[in-house]
Amino acid sequence: MTIDTGPFAGEAADRTAHADELVGRVQHHLKTEQHFDPVGWRASELLRGLAGLDLPTRVGGAGASAADMTDTFRRLGRIDLELRDIAGAGHARLLTHARTRRFDPLLKDVASGAAFCAVAITEPGTGSDLHALETVARGGDDGFVLNGTKQHVSRIEECTHLIVLASVFRPHARITAFLVPSDAPGVSIEAMSPMGMSSVSWGRVRLEEVSIPRENRIGGEGEGISLFLRHFSYWRVMMAATAIGSAQAAVDAAMERMKTREAFGGPIGRFSHLQLALAEHVASLRMAWLLVFDAAGRLDGRDTAITEAAMAKAEAVERAIHAVEWAMTVFGAAGYDRETGLEKRYRDLAGMRMADGTTDVLRGQVARSLLGDRLYEAGLGRDGDHEALNDIPRRLFW
Ligand SMILES: Cc1cc2nc3c(=O)[nH]c(=O)nc-3n(C[C@H](O)[C@H](O)[C@H](O)COP(=O)(O)OP(=O)(O)OC[C@H]3O[C@@H](n4cnc5c(N)ncnc54)[C@H](O)[C@@H]3O)c2cc1C
């Protein structure tokens, strides 16, 4: 039996050619479609194969490496940051960490573009502090009943399923992940208004006495945060790559403007302060790309790379925002005009600074790895059992 290992099989040169071809197809789609709909497009015949790129071959995916995927996300980000939703399984990839084949039928649907999973973690009362989540799951062997409210959930209207983090009390809270069909009785959604990334929906979801079978628990009770961290390590690296791509396109546009825009009798690119800033932004984005490259290599080597992914996402997004902001100034008033597209990149990246872990929180994770748990916990005002806390810094590259 031959296994179709998908578009990313073969030598590096082949993979680059496939990635070029895929990105070309997306660009073609962008030109021909009336409505920008990255999630909806996943099911289209022309873009077949994109949705399953980073899923295992057994569910119809291509099994692409994290390194290959970063390049795809970067190229898509160059076009538009919101194309982060067109390639790969998105948050459905969390299901691959559940040590079961139970979710394979759903993952097959994700690979074909027929299904899509949103992730519902943030609540009105808490976002960064996962231990303070208030959504509750009652039950056990016969299934679970979920109650709570989640908000700021991206792709809430497009998704077929929600991956929900909720606490099971036995007697202490054990944060657990659940798969909830978005049309399950008791699920209601309400739109919210983001300032960027608005080609997909964003909103609040209420879970009122939502019954789900036991099989919809993802992983074991109390494994929600570790599943979340494993998945978000990968996702943060991909988002870092997308952010870098978006900023690269802005810097390209700024370089062109430096050559063509004239002021005081010559091209503005002759001004050395613009030249030096250009060099600084390009170096900064390259440094961020090396963090992405390093984290992706570790993920491919089966390291969870939690700290490296946090570092890559925080630094890439911040570098990207600064670079786009600079590109806007190079354009003068035209940079403030929607027509140049820079303001959209800026607004989208501002959302990414918060989404999937804020820059501050991710930098806090890096500091925790360097300093050990004791100072980190003290910073959060949690006394804890200091004797039991791990005070041994993790070995980072220094
Ligand atoms: C575009 C976008 C898409 C999103 N998509 C989703 C989604 O699909 N699903 C979902 O569940 N959520 C989603 N979110 C929500 C996102 O995950 C949260 O915004 C994020 O986790 C932060 O939570 P919060 O907004 O409640 O901020 P808070 O946790 O209230 O933080 C507020 C401020 O305090 C800072 N802060 C908090 N704790 C610390 C700390 N320990 N150290 C230093 N600073 C700290 C933060 O950095 C931030 O600046 C999305 C958000 C955005 C903007």
Side-chain angles (χ1 to χ4, degrees):
M1 189 179 81
T2 53
I3 296 175
D4 176 11
T5 49
F8 275 85
E11 297 301 316
D14 296 339
R15 295 202 299 271
T16 306
H18 282 304
D20 284 343
E21 194 233 310
L22 290 173
V23 172
R25 281 196 266 149
V26 173
Q27 272 167 328
H28 176 72
H29 221 65
L30 267 169
K31 284 193 197 115
T32 51
E33 292 290 313
Q34 299 281 318
H35 178 55
F36 185 37
D37 178 16
V39 174
W41 291 354
R42 293 161 62 90
S44 82
E45 192 52 37
L46 182 77
L47 299 176
R48 208 167 56 83
L50 268 173
L53 279 181
D54 56 5
L55 283 176
T57 51
R58 69 167 195 277
V59 295
S65 68
D68 284 336
M69 288 306 293
T70 54
D71 206 42
T72 304
F73 276 99
R74 183 183 62 82
R75 287 158 183 252
L76 292 172
R78 281 186 86 103
I79 306 169
D80 192 304
L81 193 89
E82 295 195 74
L83 289 171
R84 70 187 188 136
D85 280 329
I86 206 165
H91 293 306
R93 207 167 173 280
L94 184 146
L95 299 169
T96 63
H97 297 303
R99 295 189 307 275
T100 172
R101 298 280 166 99
R102 206 166 59 240
F103 301 114
D104 280 7
L106 173 59
L107 289 171
K108 282 184 184 160
D109 286 345
V110 170
S112 72
F116 192 81
C117 291
V119 72
I121 301 167
T122 310
E123 298 181 353
T126 187
S128 308
D129 185 1
L130 296 183
H131 293 279
L133 292 176
E134 289 182 346
T135 299
V136 171
R138 292 193 322 267
D141 289 347
D142 298 333
F144 293 88
V145 177
L146 272 63
N147 280 285
T149 301
K150 301 288 183 179
Q151 65 181 20
H152 301 141
V153 176
S154 299
R155 320 146 185 105
I156 184 79
E157 282 166 27
E158 297 86 344
C159 73
T160 54
H161 293 78
L162 291 156
I163 295 172
V164 177
L165 280 196
S167 292
V168 181
F169 284 90
R170 310 215 186 272
H172 301 296
R174 304 166 97 184
I175 295 177
T176 308
F178 297 94
L179 184 68
V180 179
S182 54
D183 60 358
V187 175
S188 58
I189 62 171
E190 187 190 318
M192 299 176 94
S193 311
M195 67 178 245
M197 291 203 257
S198 36
S199 301
V200 293
S201 59
W202 202 55
R204 188 170 290 130
V205 56
R206 290 199 173 79
L207 306 162
E208 290 167 299
E209 294 291 296
V210 177
S211 287
I212 50 165
R214 186 175 182 277
E215 300 74 65
N216 282 30
R217 190 185 72 199
I218 309 166
E221 277 182 21
E223 277 184 24
I225 291 188
S226 64
L227 280 169
F228 164 90
L229 284 175
R230 280 195 72 185
H231 166 61
F232 272 89
S233 246
Y234 174 84
W235 184 246
R236 284 168 181 161
V237 174
M238 299 308 138
M239 293 306 95
T242 317
I244 291 170
S246 181
Q248 280 183 315
V251 171
D252 279 350
M255 279 198 287
E256 191 52 32
R257 185 77 171 177
M258 283 168 71
K259 291 179 198 157
T260 53
R261 174 72 176 176
E262 304 236 332
F264 297 95
I268 59 170
R270 74 190 190 284
F271 298 130
S272 60
H273 76 278
L274 290 181
Q275 293 179 7
L276 301 188
L278 168 68
E280 209 174 320
H281 286 297
V282 167
S284 183
L285 291 170
R286 275 188 73 93
M287 286 191 279
W289 180 247
L290 292 175
L291 291 180
V292 167
F293 187 75
D294 171 61
R298 287 167 192 270
L299 289 170
D300 285 332
R302 304 212 168 275
D303 182 345
T304 47
I306 289 167
T307 306
E308 290 80 4
M311 196 187 283
K313 197 257 182 183
E315 303 316 320
V317 170
E318 293 304 319
R319 285 346 181 238
I321 290 173
H322 286 136
V324 172
E325 198 176 24
W326 171 75
M328 285 165 73
T329 64
V330 171
F331 273 83
Y336 196 66
D337 189 320
R338 296 208 157 176
E339 209 168 293
T340 58
L342 292 173
E343 60 82 37
K344 179 179 190 307
R345 293 190 185 277
Y346 190 67
R347 284 185 290 110
D348 289 349
L349 282 163
M352 207 171 254
R353 176 183 261 160
M354 299 297 160
D356 314 314
T358 71
T359 296
D360 291 339
V361 166
L362 296 180
R363 286 180 175 162
Q365 291 297 329
V366 175
R368 179 186 196 164
S369 291
L370 290 161
L371 296 169
D373 289 342
R374 199 179 303 238
L375 283 175
Y376 178 80
E377 290 288 318
L380 297 180
R382 292 200 289 235
D383 282 344
D385 176 0
H386 274 204
E387 289 308 311
L389 289 176
N390 165 26
D391 211 10
I392 305 166
R394 223 181 130 238
R395 273 173 63 92
L396 287 178
F397 64 96
W398 62 60

